[in-house]
Amino acid sequence: MFPGALNSEYSHELKFVSSVESIQTYQVMDSNGSVLDPAHEPQVSKEEAKAMYRNMLTLNAMDQILYEAQRQGRISFYMTSFGEEALIGSAAALNPKDLVFGQYREAGVLLQRGFTLEQFMNQCFSNERDLGKGRQMPIHYGTKELCFQTISSPLATQIPQAAGAAYGMRRDGNKLCTICYFGEGAASEGDFHAGLNMAATLGCPVIFYCRNNGYAISTPSIEQYRGDGIASRGIGYGIDTIRVDGNDVWAIFAATKAARKIAVEQNKPVLIEAMTYRVSHHSTSDDSSAYRSKKEVEDWSKRDNPISRMRNWMENKGWWMKGEDAEITKSAKTRVLEAFAAAERLKKPAIHHLFDEVYAELPPELQREKADIEALARKYPDYYQVNEFARS
């Protein structure tokens, strides 16, 4: 056969193909938390399951507080994960050394990896203890210690980066992989296609994790594409692909664990499309009531809530008692508020960090700019509020 389509067969029939069989959505448990097939019962300990659930509740509590803080003008921007807390299941299935490339709704992944509430707050306030030294918008987290690449705002740039990093891992032979998170809206960017094709042709151990939550800001998925979601595109690039129930934490856990095995043992990319629903506004800059009804959101929240489903599963196993949620949530809110208050009191990073860690040796033009800024700060300390900045 022709080198461009080795598996194609000749046909005498003139036929244009416009669709193939729709890809099924993998589930482990139903909305009541009942496991549908005993063979797929999650193989996790009681302690592991409870830790994941506590992180889901903590994420929800943190989102509520920081969303309100932005509305009060205390931080400049925020994005919540309401309705998408089951994403934590993917983090639980990874090796802690696997490299994460996030988009901007992966705070749950960081929580599961051990990012502290203090670190979340310091970043959102861009204070002197912010790991990014105040150079990023709120929720653009990053931590070398936890193998989480710093988030950047431009859409989909992380996809080819994740493929390239995975290629490096393959060459190193360290049996690690990268995982790259993005929304279905980002899959309309050119970087999505470049990244997937690069990973497929070079054999990169990368997991592409698409959160298909129904909306790319204000654009519903029905207006974004005509094909069978994002999963069908993975097949088009010759990538092992699965579609999962993105509100089912155990379906996500099982799929990610299996995807990682394929990636590191066969040096192949895998695409996971997680079907979920964005209960929240896109961000604090968005009002979703302008393009969808409040009833739609309320119906989804009641019908298929990932936190409720996980709690039901734990109660079915006798691992969680009714009423424990209130205690955990109260404790989480207290801890978030304590970290919030401490972060708010800290100074901003020292001004010299504007110029650090880009060049090994600061170019002459930037040396002049730095000297000018320092001179202005000394001359007009009240105007530039220099006492609000750390000294070093």
Side-chain angles (χ1 to χ4, degrees):
M1 296 301 293
F2 297 103
L6 295 174
N7 295 322
S8 179
E9 297 181 356
Y10 288 111
S11 171
H12 62 274
E13 183 180 3
L14 178 61
K15 181 181 179 182
F16 292 91
V17 178
S18 60
S19 65
V20 294
E21 184 178 352
S22 181
I23 299 168
Q24 294 181 327
T25 302
Y26 171 65
Q27 269 190 331
V28 169
M29 57 181 175
D30 61 20
S31 59
N32 295 318
S34 299
V35 174
L36 301 168
D37 182 349
H40 290 215
E41 179 72 39
Q43 300 303 304
V44 295
S45 69
K46 177 180 179 180
E47 291 71 26
E48 289 170 332
K50 293 185 77 168
M52 290 171 64
Y53 186 58
R54 287 193 189 97
N55 282 335
M56 293 171 76
L57 292 175
T58 300
L59 175 63
N60 190 268
M62 182 176 75
D63 279 350
Q64 291 179 36
I65 290 169
L66 288 179
Y67 182 87
E68 292 302 323
Q70 192 282 333
R71 287 296 187 243
Q72 296 167 7
R74 298 166 80 177
I75 60 174
S76 61
F77 180 79
Y78 196 68
M79 300 181 78
T80 68
S81 298
F82 297 138
E84 301 182 50
E85 295 89 351
L87 182 78
I88 282 173
S90 64
L94 297 170
N95 183 308
K97 296 296 182 183
D98 290 335
L99 189 56
V100 178
F101 289 79
Q103 186 161 312
Y104 38 56
R105 221 179 292 275
E106 283 78 43
V109 175
L110 276 169
L111 262 179
Q112 185 67 25
R113 287 201 161 195
F115 206 62
T116 67
L117 293 175
E118 289 76 16
Q119 289 173 314
F120 280 112
M121 301 304 134
N122 291 337
Q123 198 283 328
C124 286
F125 275 104
S126 295
N127 64 31
E128 59 185 308
R129 293 183 185 170
D130 169 21
L131 297 178
K133 300 178 181 177
R135 298 167 180 151
Q136 280 278 17
M137 293 172 61
I139 66 93
H140 287 55
Y141 310 111
T143 164
K144 184 176 181 180
E145 179 185 4
L146 299 178
C147 302
F148 192 103
Q149 285 282 343
T150 301
I151 293 166
S152 58
S153 291
L155 205 59
T157 55
Q158 75 275 19
I159 300 177
Q161 292 167 3
Y167 184 63
M169 289 176 169
R170 173 180 177 168
R171 290 174 62 88
D172 290 341
N174 55 19
K175 293 300 181 183
L176 295 173
C177 70
T178 63
I179 184 167
C180 181
Y181 296 92
F182 54 93
E184 86 285 349
S188 295
E189 293 286 337
D191 279 347
F192 168 83
H193 300 280
L196 264 68
N197 197 46
M198 173 183 175
T201 55
L202 295 178
C204 304
V206 52
I207 302 169
F208 296 110
Y209 188 106
C210 176
R211 293 177 287 95
N212 192 334
N213 62 20
Y215 288 91
I217 308 183
S218 59
T219 306
S221 55
I222 195 170
E223 296 179 15
Q224 295 179 50
Y225 50 77
R226 288 293 178 267
D228 184 18
I230 307 304
S232 60
R233 302 181 194 180
I235 296 170
Y237 281 111
I239 292 175
D240 289 6
T241 299
I242 188 170
R243 175 178 287 151
V244 304
D245 181 343
N247 290 346
D248 180 347
V249 66
W250 295 126
I252 292 171
F253 176 80
T256 307
K257 195 169 185 178
R260 187 185 186 279
K261 183 178 176 67
I262 293 170
V264 300
E265 292 185 2
Q266 301 180 39
N267 284 317
K268 292 171 61 177
V270 182
L271 174 63
I272 298 173
E273 182 182 22
M275 311 305 293
T276 182
Y277 185 83
R278 195 195 78 210
V279 171
S280 61
H281 305 294
H282 173 73
S283 72
T284 50
S285 302
D286 174 47
D287 178 8
S288 65
S289 65
Y291 52 84
R292 62 180 181 179
S293 70
K294 291 183 179 180
K295 186 177 184 303
E296 175 186 318
V297 178
E298 290 169 358
D299 287 347
W300 263 101
S301 299
K302 295 174 183 176
R303 181 172 71 246
D304 196 6
N305 185 296
I307 292 178
S308 299
R309 196 191 289 195
M310 176 65 161
R311 181 177 63 249
N312 290 339
W313 176 83
M314 294 181 68
E315 288 178 354
N316 292 341
K317 292 183 72 67
W319 288 1
W320 198 261
M321 301 298 292
K322 293 185 184 297
E324 281 190 73
D325 277 32
E327 180 182 340
I328 297 298
T329 299
K330 181 181 179 180
S331 172
K333 286 183 175 179
T334 299
R335 291 186 294 115
V336 171
L337 288 170
E338 288 174 351
F340 181 95
E344 192 173 30
R345 288 193 297 266
L346 291 171
K347 292 180 181 292
K348 298 297 182 187
I351 295 172
H352 69 79
H353 287 307
L354 283 168
F355 302 92
D356 293 346
E357 299 174 340
V358 176
Y359 297 97
E361 185 175 338
L362 205 62
E365 62 272 20
L366 287 182
Q367 291 180 26
R368 288 192 293 271
E369 285 186 23
K370 183 178 181 182
D372 289 344
I373 287 175
E374 290 172 343
L376 284 169
R378 286 193 298 270
K379 188 174 182 179
Y380 305 106
D382 294 336
Y383 180 83
Y384 287 104
Q385 301 174 322
V386 295
N387 288 333
E388 295 185 10
F389 293 84
R391 296 295 182 185
S392 60

CSV table of all heavy atoms in Angstrom, one decimal, residues 63-107:
chain,number,residue,atom,x,y,z
A,63,ASP,N,-11.4,27.4,47.1
A,63,ASP,CA,-12.0,28.1,46.0
A,63,ASP,C,-13.1,29.1,46.5
A,63,ASP,O,-13.2,30.2,46.0
A,63,ASP,CB,-12.6,27.1,45.0
A,63,ASP,CG,-11.6,26.4,44.1
A,63,ASP,OD1,-10.5,26.9,44.1
A,63,ASP,OD2,-12.0,25.5,43.4
A,64,GLN,N,-13.9,28.6,47.4
A,64,GLN,CA,-15.0,29.5,47.9
A,64,GLN,C,-14.4,30.8,48.5
A,64,GLN,O,-14.8,31.9,48.2
A,64,GLN,CB,-15.8,28.8,48.9
A,64,GLN,CG,-16.7,27.7,48.4
A,64,GLN,CD,-17.5,27.0,49.5
A,64,GLN,OE1,-17.9,27.6,50.4
A,64,GLN,NE2,-17.6,25.7,49.3
A,65,ILE,N,-13.3,30.6,49.3
A,65,ILE,CA,-12.7,31.8,50.0
A,65,ILE,C,-12.0,32.7,49.1
A,65,ILE,O,-12.1,33.9,49.1
A,65,ILE,CB,-11.8,31.3,51.2
A,65,ILE,CG1,-12.7,30.6,52.3
A,65,ILE,CG2,-11.0,32.4,51.7
A,65,ILE,CD1,-11.9,29.9,53.3
A,66,LEU,N,-11.2,32.1,48.2
A,66,LEU,CA,-10.4,33.0,47.3
A,66,LEU,C,-11.3,33.7,46.2
A,66,LEU,O,-11.0,34.8,45.8
A,66,LEU,CB,-9.3,32.2,46.7
A,66,LEU,CG,-8.2,31.8,47.6
A,66,LEU,CD1,-7.1,31.0,46.9
A,66,LEU,CD2,-7.5,33.0,48.2
A,67,TYR,N,-12.4,33.0,45.8
A,67,TYR,CA,-13.3,33.6,44.9
A,67,TYR,C,-13.9,34.9,45.6
A,67,TYR,O,-14.0,36.0,45.0
A,67,TYR,CB,-14.4,32.7,44.5
A,67,TYR,CG,-15.4,33.2,43.5
A,67,TYR,CD1,-15.1,33.2,42.1
A,67,TYR,CD2,-16.6,33.9,43.9
A,67,TYR,CE1,-16.0,33.7,41.2
A,67,TYR,CE2,-17.4,34.4,43.0
A,67,TYR,CZ,-17.2,34.3,41.7
A,67,TYR,OH,-18.0,34.9,40.8
A,68,GLU,N,-14.3,34.7,46.8
A,68,GLU,CA,-14.9,35.9,47.5
A,68,GLU,C,-13.9,37.0,47.8
A,68,GLU,O,-14.2,38.2,47.7
A,68,GLU,CB,-15.5,35.4,48.8
A,68,GLU,CG,-16.8,34.6,48.7
A,68,GLU,CD,-17.9,35.3,47.9
A,68,GLU,OE1,-18.1,36.5,48.1
A,68,GLU,OE2,-18.6,34.6,47.1
A,69,ALA,N,-12.6,36.5,48.0
A,69,ALA,CA,-11.6,37.5,48.3
A,69,ALA,C,-11.3,38.4,47.0
A,69,ALA,O,-11.1,39.6,47.1
A,69,ALA,CB,-10.3,36.8,48.7
A,70,GLN,N,-11.4,37.7,45.9
A,70,GLN,CA,-11.2,38.5,44.6
A,70,GLN,C,-12.4,39.5,44.5
A,70,GLN,O,-12.2,40.7,44.1
A,70,GLN,CB,-11.2,37.6,43.4
A,70,GLN,CG,-10.7,38.3,42.1
A,70,GLN,CD,-11.8,39.1,41.5
A,70,GLN,OE1,-13.0,38.8,41.6
A,70,GLN,NE2,-11.4,40.1,40.7
A,71,ARG,N,-13.6,39.1,44.8
A,71,ARG,CA,-14.7,40.0,44.7
A,71,ARG,C,-14.6,41.2,45.7
A,71,ARG,O,-15.1,42.2,45.4
A,71,ARG,CB,-16.0,39.2,45.0
A,71,ARG,CG,-16.4,38.3,43.9
A,71,ARG,CD,-16.7,39.1,42.6
A,71,ARG,NE,-17.3,38.3,41.5
A,71,ARG,CZ,-16.7,38.1,40.4
A,71,ARG,NH1,-15.5,38.7,40.2
A,71,ARG,NH2,-17.3,37.4,39.4
A,72,GLN,N,-13.9,41.0,46.8
A,72,GLN,CA,-13.6,42.1,47.7
A,72,GLN,C,-12.4,42.9,47.3
A,72,GLN,O,-12.1,43.9,48.0
A,72,GLN,CB,-13.4,41.5,49.1
A,72,GLN,CG,-14.6,40.7,49.7
A,72,GLN,CD,-14.2,39.9,50.9
A,72,GLN,OE1,-13.1,39.9,51.4
A,72,GLN,NE2,-15.1,39.0,51.4
A,73,GLY,N,-11.8,42.6,46.3
A,73,GLY,CA,-10.6,43.3,45.8
A,73,GLY,C,-9.3,43.0,46.5
A,73,GLY,O,-8.3,43.8,46.4
A,74,ARG,N,-9.3,41.9,47.2
A,74,ARG,CA,-8.1,41.6,48.0
A,74,ARG,C,-7.0,40.8,47.2
A,74,ARG,O,-5.9,40.8,47.5
A,74,ARG,CB,-8.5,40.8,49.3
A,74,ARG,CG,-9.4,41.7,50.2
A,74,ARG,CD,-10.1,40.9,51.2
A,74,ARG,NE,-9.2,40.7,52.4
A,74,ARG,CZ,-9.7,40.0,53.5
A,74,ARG,NH1,-10.9,39.6,53.6
A,74,ARG,NH2,-8.8,39.8,54.5
A,75,ILE,N,-7.5,40.1,46.2
A,75,ILE,CA,-6.6,39.6,45.2
A,75,ILE,C,-7.1,40.0,43.8
A,75,ILE,O,-8.3,40.3,43.7
A,75,ILE,CB,-6.4,38.0,45.3
A,75,ILE,CG1,-7.7,37.3,45.1
A,75,ILE,CG2,-5.7,37.6,46.6
A,75,ILE,CD1,-7.6,35.8,45.0
A,76,SER,N,-6.3,39.9,42.8
A,76,SER,CA,-6.7,40.5,41.5
A,76,SER,C,-7.5,39.6,40.6
A,76,SER,O,-8.2,40.0,39.7
A,76,SER,CB,-5.4,41.0,40.8
A,76,SER,OG,-4.5,39.9,40.5
A,77,PHE,N,-7.4,38.3,40.8
A,77,PHE,CA,-7.9,37.3,39.8
A,77,PHE,C,-8.0,35.9,40.5
A,77,PHE,O,-7.2,35.6,41.4
A,77,PHE,CB,-7.0,37.3,38.6
A,77,PHE,CG,-7.4,36.3,37.5
A,77,PHE,CD1,-8.4,36.7,36.6
A,77,PHE,CD2,-6.8,35.1,37.4
A,77,PHE,CE1,-8.8,35.8,35.6
A,77,PHE,CE2,-7.2,34.2,36.3
A,77,PHE,CZ,-8.2,34.6,35.5
A,78,TYR,N,-8.9,35.1,40.0
A,78,TYR,CA,-9.0,33.8,40.5
A,78,TYR,C,-9.8,32.9,39.6
A,78,TYR,O,-10.7,33.4,38.8
A,78,TYR,CB,-9.6,33.7,41.9
A,78,TYR,CG,-9.4,32.4,42.6
A,78,TYR,CD1,-8.1,32.0,43.0
A,78,TYR,CD2,-10.4,31.5,42.8
A,78,TYR,CE1,-7.8,30.8,43.6
A,78,TYR,CE2,-10.1,30.2,43.4
A,78,TYR,CZ,-8.8,29.9,43.8
A,78,TYR,OH,-8.6,28.7,44.4
A,79,MET,N,-9.6,31.6,39.6
A,79,MET,CA,-10.3,30.6,38.9
A,79,MET,C,-10.6,29.4,39.8
A,79,MET,O,-9.7,28.9,40.5
A,79,MET,CB,-9.6,30.1,37.6
A,79,MET,CG,-9.3,31.2,36.6
A,79,MET,SD,-8.4,30.6,35.2
A,79,MET,CE,-9.7,29.9,34.3
A,80,THR,N,-11.9,29.0,39.8
A,80,THR,CA,-12.2,27.9,40.7
A,80,THR,C,-12.3,26.6,39.9
A,80,THR,O,-12.3,26.5,38.7
A,80,THR,CB,-13.6,28.2,41.4
A,80,THR,OG1,-14.6,28.1,40.3
A,80,THR,CG2,-13.6,29.5,42.1
A,81,SER,N,-12.5,25.5,40.7
A,81,SER,CA,-12.6,24.1,40.1
A,81,SER,C,-13.9,23.5,40.5
A,81,SER,O,-14.0,22.3,40.5
A,81,SER,CB,-11.4,23.2,40.7
A,81,SER,OG,-10.2,23.7,40.3
A,82,PHE,N,-14.9,24.3,40.8
A,82,PHE,CA,-16.2,23.8,41.2
A,82,PHE,C,-16.8,22.8,40.1
A,82,PHE,O,-16.8,23.2,38.9
A,82,PHE,CB,-17.2,24.9,41.4
A,82,PHE,CG,-16.9,25.8,42.5
A,82,PHE,CD1,-17.1,27.2,42.4
A,82,PHE,CD2,-16.4,25.3,43.7
A,82,PHE,CE1,-16.7,28.0,43.5
A,82,PHE,CE2,-16.1,26.2,44.8
A,82,PHE,CZ,-16.2,27.5,44.6
A,83,GLY,N,-17.1,21.6,40.5
A,83,GLY,CA,-17.6,20.6,39.5
A,83,GLY,C,-16.6,19.8,38.9
A,83,GLY,O,-16.9,18.8,38.2
A,84,GLU,N,-15.3,20.1,39.1
A,84,GLU,CA,-14.2,19.4,38.5
A,84,GLU,C,-13.2,18.8,39.5
A,84,GLU,O,-12.0,18.5,39.2
A,84,GLU,CB,-13.5,20.3,37.4
A,84,GLU,CG,-14.4,20.8,36.4
A,84,GLU,CD,-13.7,21.6,35.3
A,84,GLU,OE1,-12.7,21.2,34.8
A,84,GLU,OE2,-14.2,22.7,35.0
A,85,GLU,N,-13.6,18.7,40.7
A,85,GLU,CA,-12.7,18.2,41.8
A,85,GLU,C,-12.2,16.8,41.6
A,85,GLU,O,-11.2,16.4,42.2
A,85,GLU,CB,-13.5,18.3,43.2
A,85,GLU,CG,-13.8,19.7,43.6
A,85,GLU,CD,-15.2,20.2,43.1
A,85,GLU,OE1,-15.8,19.5,42.3
A,85,GLU,OE2,-15.6,21.3,43.5
A,86,ALA,N,-12.9,16.0,40.8
A,86,ALA,CA,-12.5,14.6,40.6
A,86,ALA,C,-11.1,14.5,39.9
A,86,ALA,O,-10.5,13.4,39.8
A,86,ALA,CB,-13.6,13.8,39.8
A,87,LEU,N,-10.7,15.6,39.3
A,87,LEU,CA,-9.4,15.6,38.7
A,87,LEU,C,-8.3,15.1,39.6
A,87,LEU,O,-7.2,14.6,39.1
A,87,LEU,CB,-9.1,17.1,38.2
A,87,LEU,CG,-7.8,17.3,37.5
A,87,LEU,CD1,-7.9,16.9,36.0
A,87,LEU,CD2,-7.4,18.8,37.5
A,88,ILE,N,-8.5,15.3,40.9
A,88,ILE,CA,-7.5,14.8,41.9
A,88,ILE,C,-7.1,13.3,41.7
A,88,ILE,O,-6.0,12.9,42.0
A,88,ILE,CB,-8.0,15.1,43.3
A,88,ILE,CG1,-7.9,16.6,43.6
A,88,ILE,CG2,-7.4,14.2,44.3
A,88,ILE,CD1,-8.5,17.0,45.0
A,89,GLY,N,-8.1,12.6,41.1
A,89,GLY,CA,-7.8,11.1,40.9
A,89,GLY,C,-6.7,10.9,39.9
A,89,GLY,O,-5.9,9.9,40.0
A,90,SER,N,-6.4,11.8,39.0
A,90,SER,CA,-5.3,11.7,38.0
A,90,SER,C,-4.0,11.9,38.7
A,90,SER,O,-3.0,11.2,38.5
A,90,SER,CB,-5.5,12.7,36.9
A,90,SER,OG,-5.4,14.0,37.3
A,91,ALA,N,-3.9,12.9,39.7
A,91,ALA,CA,-2.7,13.1,40.4
A,91,ALA,C,-2.3,11.9,41.3
A,91,ALA,O,-1.1,11.6,41.4
A,91,ALA,CB,-2.8,14.3,41.3
A,92,ALA,N,-3.3,11.2,41.8
A,92,ALA,CA,-3.1,10.1,42.7
A,92,ALA,C,-2.5,8.9,42.0
A,92,ALA,O,-1.9,8.0,42.6
A,92,ALA,CB,-4.4,9.7,43.4
A,93,ALA,N,-2.7,8.9,40.6
A,93,ALA,CA,-2.3,7.7,39.8
A,93,ALA,C,-0.8,7.9,39.3
A,93,ALA,O,-0.3,7.0,38.7
A,93,ALA,CB,-3.2,7.5,38.7
A,94,LEU,N,-0.2,9.1,39.5
A,94,LEU,CA,1.1,9.4,38.9
A,94,LEU,C,2.2,9.0,39.9
A,94,LEU,O,2.0,8.9,41.1
A,94,LEU,CB,1.1,10.8,38.5
A,94,LEU,CG,0.2,11.3,37.5
A,94,LEU,CD1,0.2,12.8,37.4
A,94,LEU,CD2,0.5,10.7,36.1
A,95,ASN,N,3.4,8.9,39.3
A,95,ASN,CA,4.6,8.9,40.1
A,95,ASN,C,4.9,10.4,40.5
A,95,ASN,O,4.8,11.3,39.7
A,95,ASN,CB,5.8,8.4,39.2
A,95,ASN,CG,7.1,8.3,40.0
A,95,ASN,OD1,7.6,9.2,40.6
A,95,ASN,ND2,7.7,7.1,40.0
A,96,PRO,N,5.3,10.6,41.8
A,96,PRO,CA,5.6,12.0,42.2
A,96,PRO,C,6.6,12.7,41.3
A,96,PRO,O,6.6,14.0,41.3
A,96,PRO,CB,6.0,11.9,43.6
A,96,PRO,CG,5.5,10.6,44.1
A,96,PRO,CD,5.5,9.7,42.9
A,97,LYS,N,7.5,12.0,40.6
A,97,LYS,CA,8.5,12.6,39.8
A,97,LYS,C,8.0,12.8,38.4
A,97,LYS,O,8.8,13.4,37.6
A,97,LYS,CB,9.8,11.7,39.8
A,97,LYS,CG,10.4,11.6,41.2
A,97,LYS,CD,10.9,12.9,41.7
A,97,LYS,CE,11.6,12.8,43.0
A,97,LYS,NZ,12.0,14.1,43.6
A,98,ASP,N,6.9,12.4,38.0
A,98,ASP,CA,6.3,12.7,36.7
A,98,ASP,C,6.1,14.2,36.6
A,98,ASP,O,5.6,14.8,37.5
A,98,ASP,CB,5.0,11.9,36.5
A,98,ASP,CG,5.2,10.4,36.3
A,98,ASP,OD1,6.3,10.0,35.9
A,98,ASP,OD2,4.2,9.7,36.6
A,99,LEU,N,6.4,14.7,35.5
A,99,LEU,CA,6.4,16.2,35.3
A,99,LEU,C,5.0,16.6,34.8
A,99,LEU,O,4.5,16.1,33.8
A,99,LEU,CB,7.5,16.6,34.3
A,99,LEU,CG,7.7,18.1,34.1
A,99,LEU,CD1,8.1,18.7,35.5
A,99,LEU,CD2,8.9,18.3,33.1
A,100,VAL,N,4.4,17.6,35.5
A,100,VAL,CA,3.1,18.1,35.2
A,100,VAL,C,3.2,19.4,34.5
A,100,VAL,O,3.9,20.3,34.9
A,100,VAL,CB,2.3,18.3,36.5
A,100,VAL,CG1,0.9,18.9,36.2
A,100,VAL,CG2,2.2,17.0,37.3
A,101,PHE,N,2.4,19.5,33.4
A,101,PHE,CA,2.2,20.8,32.7
A,101,PHE,C,0.7,21.1,32.8
A,101,PHE,O,-0.1,20.4,32.2
A,101,PHE,CB,2.6,20.6,31.2
A,101,PHE,CG,4.1,20.5,31.0
A,101,PHE,CD1,4.7,19.3,31.2
A,101,PHE,CD2,4.8,21.6,30.5
A,101,PHE,CE1,6.1,19.2,31.0
A,101,PHE,CE2,6.2,21.5,30.3
A,101,PHE,CZ,6.8,20.3,30.5
A,102,GLY,N,0.4,22.1,33.6
A,102,GLY,CA,-1.0,22.4,33.8
A,102,GLY,C,-1.5,23.6,32.9
A,102,GLY,O,-0.7,24.2,32.2
A,103,GLN,N,-2.8,23.8,32.9
A,103,GLN,CA,-3.4,24.9,32.2
A,103,GLN,C,-3.7,26.0,33.3
A,103,GLN,O,-2.9,26.9,33.4
A,103,GLN,CB,-4.6,24.5,31.4
A,103,GLN,CG,-5.1,25.7,30.6
A,103,GLN,CD,-6.0,25.3,29.4
A,103,GLN,OE1,-5.7,24.3,28.7
A,103,GLN,NE2,-7.2,25.9,29.3
A,104,TYR,N,-4.8,25.9,34.0
A,104,TYR,CA,-5.0,26.8,35.1
A,104,TYR,C,-6.1,26.3,36.0
A,104,TYR,O,-6.6,27.1,36.9
A,104,TYR,CB,-5.3,28.2,34.6
A,104,TYR,CG,-6.2,28.3,33.4
A,104,TYR,CD1,-7.4,27.7,33.3
A,104,TYR,CD2,-5.7,29.0,32.2
A,104,TYR,CE1,-8.2,27.8,32.2
A,104,TYR,CE2,-6.5,29.1,31.1
A,104,TYR,CZ,-7.7,28.5,31.1
A,104,TYR,OH,-8.5,28.6,29.9
A,105,ARG,N,-6.6,25.1,35.9
A,105,ARG,CA,-7.6,24.6,36.8
A,105,ARG,C,-7.1,23.3,37.4
A,105,ARG,O,-7.9,22.3,37.5
A,105,ARG,CB,-8.9,24.4,36.0
A,105,ARG,CG,-10.2,24.8,36.8
A,105,ARG,CD,-11.4,24.6,36.0
A,105,ARG,NE,-11.6,25.5,34.9
A,105,ARG,CZ,-12.0,26.8,34.9
A,105,ARG,NH1,-12.4,27.3,36.1
A,105,ARG,NH2,-12.1,27.5,33.8
A,106,GLU,N,-5.8,23.2,37.7
A,106,GLU,CA,-5.2,22.0,38.3
A,106,GLU,C,-4.7,22.2,39.7
A,106,GLU,O,-3.8,21.5,40.1
A,106,GLU,CB,-4.1,21.5,37.4
A,106,GLU,CG,-4.5,20.9,36.1
A,106,GLU,CD,-5.0,21.9,35.0
A,106,GLU,OE1,-4.3,22.9,34.9
A,106,GLU,OE2,-6.1,21.6,34.4
A,107,ALA,N,-5.3,23.1,40.5
A,107,ALA,CA,-4.9,23.3,41.9
A,107,ALA,C,-5.1,22.0,42.6
A,107,ALA,O,-4.3,21.7,43.6
A,107,ALA,CB,-5.8,24.4,42.5
